[in-house]
Amino acid sequence: MEPLIPVINKLQDVFNTVGADIIQLPQIVVVGTQSSGKSSVLESLVGRDILPRGTGIVTRRPLILQLVHIDPEDRRKTSEENESKKNGRLYRAIEGEEWGKFLHTKNKIYTDFEEIRSEIEAETDRISGNNKGVSDESIHLKIFSPHVVNLTLVDLPGITKLPVGDQPVDIEFQIKELIIKYISNPNSIILAVTAANTDLATSEALKVARDVDPDGRRTLAVVTKLDLMDAGTDAMDILMGRVIPVKLGIIGVVNRSQLDINQKKCVADAIRDEYAFLQKKYPSLTNRNGTKYLARTLNRLLMHHIRDCLPELKTRINVLSAQYQSLLNSYGEPVDDKNSTLLQLITKFAAEYCHTIEGTAKYIETTELCGGARICYIFHETFGRTLESVDPLGGLSTIDVLTAIRNATGPRPALFVPEVSFELLVKRQVKRLEEPSLRCVELVHEEMQRIIQHCSNYSTQELLRFPKLHDAIVEVVTALLRKRLPVTNEMVHNLVAIELAYINTKHPDFADACGLMNNNIEEQRRNRMRDLPSAVPRDKAVASGSQSGQNVSEPTDSGMGNWRGMLKKGEEFAAGDRPAALYPLPAVQQKGYAVNLLDVPVPVSRKLSAREQRDCEVIERLIKSYFLIVRKNIQDSVPKAVMHFLVNHVKDSLQSELVGQLYKAALLDDLLTESEDMAQRRNEAADMLKALQKASQVIAEIRETHMW
């Protein structure tokens, strides 16, 4: 099991080469408050003074520390880790048995651990500033030594409460967010560090660990500063788990004091003193506490954790490999044959545009209607419902109808309802169908324009490589649509004009409606005859019925233009059983003065006579019947016209238009110029794909070696 940790280190190196953090690898995350002894614990595990020390917040960037165990006799044999160039000569040997490497300094080897500490301080100041600022950008350090066990640790800034220096007012929130980012990784082990001279029940490290690991399956507690507890007290109950139980255990350690550090006390001596202290103070727990036991425990936990995580890691790597392979394919290969490439892109775009209209596109939109489906919706839902909502008699009052009838009779009273009035009024109503028809053309044109963007985003991602070609294609298609728009509008306008040009009263549907209407009128006439009182003379009843059936005008009906009815009040008017005149007389005429025939009566609202009511009803019914016939024709013919003159024409001529406008030798180099960042993104995707493939090979080797 021991080689599993180097495998993780190797995977970390693989992903470090591409600067990616897309795989959450198993690692140990060290969490604690400021001055809780985190740095001392890490230095004890390393066996060297490598971390910045001081008061207040010292760790201000995450430090990813990889400890790599090497055999003393093999330390000069590694070419990959040990090679460095100096004055043109290749040095494979490293002075000393321990050394370190930073990711940001590439292949530079550090054998002086004081220099490593200085580099950490300088790199921290470079990103976080030199006045206590904090950053989430990590520092990667790898230590090679025969005195360490294989571990990957992450040292994080200590939890604080109040800002100091350049720290923002929400520094506590920022640090906790940074800590949660790392410990939320399900592949991490949380090392919660708490000082023994504080109350474990108030431990911030254990609290934040419990927030993300409520079951405690990933949390190991470390109690530092056992030698600094108050006289007469000890940590026996804490170390035995009687105060706060921790599933993975609680390990106590003794750190070097600041005086020891100032006096350059080495870590090896500190570990010997720690063992002596534990033997004296906690003899029964000596074998389960101390720095050496902590290192072995972390190594064991990390190995088992890696073993459990490898299947998921392999799955994650395979999924990412497929995604980056697809991404790399979308970026395409560098262009060799520009003529062929341009023709292929034009042809593919034209095909995808047509497929989107026909509903056979490879990428089907699931969030909204698109292409041909939206055009169908416009025809049968938007346009159809709009036409159905148009009232056949909308904007037409009874007075308008009656006025049209009277104007159509001229100076003579009419015996029948004039046909001219029907034609005049029905044309006025049919004209109202033109506006929604033209709006239908506009909506389809807009959708045809939207299909361009849909094809660019989903269907032909290769166009993203060539922004100038993409813009040129959009311009050509837009111009083609713009050219077809007035032609289609003209055709739709003509469809309405055709209906206005000839009012076909012999239309079969209209003739049927007229026959049914005449039958209804005749039935109403007979009903009125039956309802007449017996005192009414028969000849008057017959005359009345004749007028109803034949629309004959009464000689004394002032409402039909008999001007003599304006000169005096007849007996019928005096009796009060006839309605008031449609056009009332001027005041002077009502007093019996001479009549000025140039005075034009002004229509006013009043109750219509039976004859007027019947005439209006006849015209209104005829208008409604004929309007419905025309509306049905328009509802059927407009979509057909739009499909023929706009949609199908664009589909049929799109590719030839694109080839004719763009497939020119003079435009090749300009159109096939890649975007500035496309080559860079292609290289990054290729590097990431290589890293993932290498990581997959590493895991495959482990499966064969350890039969996992």
Side-chain angles (χ1 to χ4, degrees):
M1 294 297 295
E2 179 68 21
L4 286 180
I5 296 179
V7 168
I8 296 301
N9 291 338
K10 189 179 292 186
L11 290 177
Q12 186 71 59
D13 293 340
V14 168
F15 294 116
N16 285 344
T17 58
V18 293
D21 191 21
I22 59 174
I23 296 289
Q24 294 181 320
L25 297 174
Q27 56 193 7
I28 299 170
V29 182
V30 184
V31 179
T33 58
Q34 287 184 19
S35 304
S36 62
K38 295 189 296 84
S39 298
S40 296
V41 171
L42 289 175
E43 286 184 338
S44 297
L45 294 173
V46 176
R48 289 281 195 155
D49 294 334
I50 62 170
L51 300 177
R53 306 299 290 266
T55 59
I57 184 169
V58 177
T59 304
R60 296 184 288 125
R61 289 178 60 184
L63 174 65
I64 299 178
L65 178 62
Q66 293 176 260
L67 304 182
V68 182
H69 176 81
I70 59 171
D71 293 330
E73 61 272 14
D74 294 336
R75 65 179 183 271
R76 299 177 182 271
K77 298 179 182 179
T78 306
S79 60
E80 179 183 355
E81 301 291 353
N82 301 354
E83 289 179 0
S84 63
K85 290 185 178 180
K86 185 176 181 181
N87 298 327
R89 297 178 61 187
L90 189 62
Y91 289 84
R92 296 179 181 271
I94 296 177
E95 296 299 329
E97 63 179 6
E98 300 174 292
W99 68 91
K101 286 180 62 176
F102 286 98
L103 177 63
H104 64 273
T105 58
K106 305 301 181 184
N107 292 323
K108 183 177 181 180
I109 304 298
Y110 294 82
T111 56
D112 184 355
F113 283 82
E114 286 293 334
E115 189 179 357
I116 290 178
R117 179 176 9 195
S118 299
E119 180 61 30
I120 293 175
E121 293 175 344
E123 182 66 11
T124 299
D125 292 342
R126 185 179 68 85
I127 299 297
S128 304
N130 54 10
N131 197 15
K132 308 300 181 182
V134 175
S135 171
D136 63 350
E137 187 175 338
S138 60
I139 300 174
H140 291 260
L141 171 63
K142 185 181 289 188
I143 299 294
F144 300 86
S145 172
H147 307 299
V148 300
V149 295
N150 291 306
L151 290 175
T152 300
L153 303 129
V154 180
D155 187 22
L156 297 175
I159 301 172
T160 185
K161 294 294 182 181
L162 298 175
V164 295
D166 287 340
Q167 294 176 349
V169 293
D170 63 340
I171 185 65
E172 178 185 7
F173 174 78
Q174 288 189 17
I175 292 178
K176 283 191 175 180
E177 285 291 306
L178 178 60
I179 292 173
I180 290 175
K181 172 185 174 183
Y182 278 88
I183 66 177
S184 295
N185 172 13
N187 296 335
S188 67
I189 294 175
I190 305 170
L191 189 64
V193 179
T194 303
N197 55 358
T198 61
D199 188 354
L200 193 65
T202 62
S203 170
E204 288 285 343
L206 288 175
K207 180 179 180 299
V208 72
R210 184 167 295 180
D211 289 340
V212 297
D213 182 32
D215 296 333
R217 297 180 179 178
R218 300 188 288 114
T219 303
L220 174 68
V222 174
V223 178
T224 63
K225 304 181 181 180
L226 292 176
D227 56 333
L228 299 182
M229 297 187 69
D230 293 340
T233 63
D234 61 34
M236 185 65 71
D237 289 341
I238 294 176
L239 297 177
M240 295 293 291
R242 296 168 186 161
V243 178
I244 301 292
V246 180
K247 276 191 177 181
L248 296 184
I250 301 176
I251 300 175
V253 296
V254 177
N255 301 329
R256 291 179 298 169
S257 66
Q258 189 62 45
L259 179 62
D260 294 335
I261 295 173
N262 294 338
Q263 293 178 351
K264 305 296 183 180
K265 184 178 181 179
C266 68
V267 175
D269 292 340
I271 292 177
R272 283 194 296 269
D273 292 344
E274 176 192 49
Y275 182 76
F277 174 83
L278 292 174
Q279 283 278 28
K280 178 181 178 181
K281 192 72 175 178
Y282 306 98
S284 62
L285 300 178
T286 302
N287 294 332
R288 287 183 290 166
N289 290 276
T291 301
K292 289 188 176 180
Y293 180 76
L294 174 63
R296 292 195 302 270
T297 301
L298 290 175
N299 180 265
R300 175 177 54 82
L301 290 175
L302 188 57
M303 282 192 299
H304 287 288
H305 200 60
I306 291 171
R307 181 193 61 190
D308 296 337
C309 294
L310 278 178
E312 182 183 348
L313 281 176
K314 183 178 184 301
T315 301
R316 175 67 175 160
I317 288 172
N318 290 339
V319 170
L320 287 173
S321 297
Q323 291 177 352
Y324 273 92
Q325 183 65 62
S326 176
L327 182 63
L328 187 61
N329 293 340
S330 69
Y331 293 151
E333 297 295 332
V335 178
D336 295 328
D337 187 348
K338 293 187 176 181
N339 288 281
S340 175
T341 300
L342 178 59
L343 190 58
Q344 288 177 1
L345 290 174
I346 289 176
T347 302
K348 185 172 183 179
F349 178 88
E352 289 297 335
Y353 190 93
C354 295
H355 291 161
T356 303
I357 295 176
E358 295 165 358
T360 58
K362 181 179 179 181
Y363 296 92
I364 300 296
E365 183 65 58
T366 59
T367 58
E368 62 176 352
L369 292 179
C370 177
R374 191 174 185 86
I375 293 174
C376 178
Y377 182 86
I378 292 171
F379 285 156
H380 302 292
E381 297 293 332
T382 306
F383 178 59
R385 290 182 178 178
T386 302
L387 289 188
E388 291 173 0
S389 66
V390 178
D391 183 7
L393 300 176
L396 199 62
S397 66
T398 303
I399 295 299
D400 294 337
V401 176
L402 194 57
T403 302
I405 294 173
R406 298 171 71 89
N407 286 336
T409 61
R412 293 174 298 278
L415 297 177
F416 304 98
V417 178
E419 187 175 339
V420 176
S421 62
F422 161 73
E423 242 186 74
L424 174 68
L425 293 174
V426 81
K427 286 183 178 180
R428 172 179 165 181
Q429 298 306 101
V430 169
K431 183 69 175 176
R432 298 169 60 210
L433 298 176
E434 183 175 11
E435 182 179 352
S437 300
L438 294 176
R439 177 58 180 161
C440 176
V441 178
E442 183 181 350
L443 291 175
V444 174
H445 176 267
E446 291 175 359
E447 179 58 26
M448 299 282 284
Q449 192 73 36
R450 288 177 68 245
I451 296 176
I452 302 175
Q453 190 63 36
H454 174 82
C455 293
S456 302
N457 291 341
Y458 298 100
S459 304
T460 54
Q461 293 187 4
E462 294 92 337
L463 286 179
L464 299 178
R465 294 178 58 192
F466 312 108
K468 291 186 178 180
L469 175 60
H470 175 267
D471 294 343
I473 288 177
V474 172
E475 184 177 348
V476 171
V477 180
T478 302
L480 178 60
L481 290 172
R482 192 184 307 118
K483 182 170 66 175
R484 297 305 303 173
L485 182 60
V487 177
T488 309
N489 282 335
E490 181 67 20
M491 182 59 199
V492 171
H493 172 78
N494 287 336
L495 288 176
V496 179
I498 288 170
E499 296 291 346
L500 296 173
Y502 180 66
I503 305 302
N504 183 17
T505 56
K506 292 295 185 180
H507 192 283
D509 295 340
F510 186 69
D512 294 342
C514 290
L516 181 61
M517 184 181 64
N518 290 334
N519 293 337
N520 292 337
I521 293 175
E522 181 62 25
E523 182 178 357
Q524 293 174 6
R525 185 188 67 79
R526 287 195 296 267
N527 291 337
R528 282 196 297 270
M529 290 288 292
R530 287 196 302 269
D531 295 339
L532 284 174
S534 57
V536 177
R538 191 64 185 170
D539 55 346
K540 291 186 178 181
V542 173
S544 174
S546 175
Q547 290 171 1
S548 299
Q550 301 177 13
N551 294 329
V552 180
S553 176
E554 297 183 44
T556 60
D557 190 351
S558 62
M560 291 303 293
N562 189 344
W563 63 270
R564 286 176 294 182
M566 300 179 184
L567 299 178
K568 62 180 180 179
K569 299 179 181 179
E571 295 179 357
E572 296 85 352
F573 290 88
D577 58 354
R578 299 294 298 274
L582 174 64
Y583 304 101
L585 298 176
V588 293
Q589 298 179 17
Q590 294 177 5
K591 294 180 180 180
Y593 291 94
V595 177
N596 183 359
L597 297 181
L598 297 180
D599 288 342
V600 180
V602 179
V604 295
S605 178
R606 49 90 174 168
K607 183 177 180 181
L608 301 181
S609 67
R611 168 64 185 276
E612 292 168 344
Q613 186 69 35
R614 288 194 305 273
D615 291 349
C616 289
E617 288 180 1
V618 168
I619 293 295
E620 288 175 354
R621 290 182 182 181
L622 293 175
I623 291 174
K624 184 175 182 180
S625 176
Y626 195 83
F627 179 87
L628 295 178
I629 294 172
V630 174
R631 186 175 71 181
K632 183 178 179 181
N633 294 341
I634 293 296
Q635 191 170 350
D636 178 65
S637 59
V638 167
K640 292 179 179 178
V642 174
M643 287 298 298
H644 177 72
F645 287 92
L646 181 61
V647 179
N648 290 342
H649 188 279
V650 170
K651 281 174 51 182
D652 296 340
S653 61
L654 179 59
Q655 182 167 351
S656 61
E657 190 76 15
L658 288 172
V659 172
Q661 295 287 338
L662 303 180
Y663 192 64
K664 300 176 181 178
L667 300 177
L668 280 178
D669 293 336
D670 186 49
L671 292 178
L672 294 181
T673 301
E674 285 189 319
S675 60
E676 296 179 358
D677 60 338
M678 182 57 66
Q680 178 182 352
R681 285 188 287 173
R682 185 190 298 111
N683 293 335
E684 290 175 353
D687 293 342
M688 181 58 69
L689 184 60
K690 290 179 182 178
L692 290 167
Q693 291 172 346
K694 187 174 181 180
S696 182
Q697 293 175 358
V698 171
I699 293 180
E701 292 172 1
I702 290 299
R703 293 185 63 183
E704 296 175 0
T705 304
H706 298 277
M707 294 185 297
W708 160 72

